[in-house]
Amino acid sequence: MHPMRPLTRFSLSEPADVAPDATMDSELLLDGKPTGRRLPGHVLEQQFQVGTHYLLLTTQGSPFEETLHLCLLNETLSLLDEQHLGQAYTPGLLRDVTRLSEWQFQFSFPGDERWTLTVLQHPKHQWKSLWQAQPERKLRRLISRRYLLLEPAPHGP
């Protein structure tokens, strides 16, 4: 794979319904054209190409109760991996996105919490415990292939 580089080719469709019970995902657009793929969130915060893959960071667009979705797609725009950051009733803004290396960057979310995201060149197999299963999503295998490694950033001196 090649190093991570910023993109501007993707966007998300405007939500048709903003009612409290409305769907929390949006259609992914590529160069303004529908792709038939849906991603969690309503706001595309950042986008990168990592080799032949795409890393998209989305939010719901509500700084008063926010979730950050990190989605890695392959060249056919199929979801390879995803991570989510957020907590109910917790405000959050994605800030201070800083590239650390070809495969890694740090950011703040929510508030001043710093995170490091590493895009692995080869997937790592990881056990999922049953409590990690999110009821609003399809049940995934208990052993998952992880391309995205999300960790709290080390504290400076």
Side-chain angles (χ1 to χ4, degrees):
M1 281 199 279
H2 303 292
M4 187 182 312
R5 65 182 176 90
L7 287 177
T8 58
R9 299 186 63 195
F10 291 100
S11 58
L12 297 177
S13 62
E14 293 290 326
D17 187 1
V18 292
D21 59 346
T23 179
M24 300 304 279
D25 61 356
S26 301
E27 182 170 11
L28 180 65
L29 307 175
L30 176 61
D31 296 326
K33 297 183 175 95
T35 63
R37 305 282 186 206
R38 298 195 70 80
L39 290 180
H42 294 303
V43 177
L44 182 57
E45 300 283 352
Q46 298 272 331
Q47 54 185 293
F48 302 94
Q49 183 165 1
V50 184
T52 58
H53 300 141
Y54 303 103
L55 177 63
L56 306 177
L57 285 66
T58 66
T59 62
Q60 299 308 127
S62 172
F64 303 108
E65 182 177 15
E66 191 61 273
T67 300
L68 176 65
H69 310 279
L70 304 108
C71 302
L72 185 69
L73 309 176
N74 68 11
E75 59 276 359
T76 64
L77 306 182
S78 294
L79 185 66
L80 290 176
D81 196 4
E82 62 184 333
Q83 296 278 358
H84 307 277
L85 274 178
Q87 189 172 0
Y89 310 111
T90 303
L93 293 172
L94 177 64
R95 298 181 300 108
D96 304 324
V97 177
T98 307
R99 183 175 155 179
L100 300 178
S101 70
E102 297 176 348
W103 311 103
Q104 190 175 64
F105 66 91
Q106 281 186 350
F107 59 91
S108 295
F109 185 89
D112 293 330
E113 293 179 55
R114 293 290 291 168
W115 296 91
T116 301
L117 180 72
T118 305
V119 179
L120 303 175
Q121 295 182 50
H122 303 286
K124 177 182 175 182
H125 290 82
Q126 178 180 7
W127 283 94
K128 280 187 174 181
S129 62
L130 291 177
W131 65 267
Q132 288 176 308
Q134 298 176 355
E136 70 273 6
R137 302 206 182 280
K138 295 177 185 173
L139 184 62
R140 296 210 173 181
R141 295 170 284 174
L142 289 179
I143 299 177
S144 63
R145 294 169 39 133
R146 304 306 314 226
Y147 287 88
L148 299 177
L149 179 60
L150 182 63
E151 302 173 298
H155 295 289

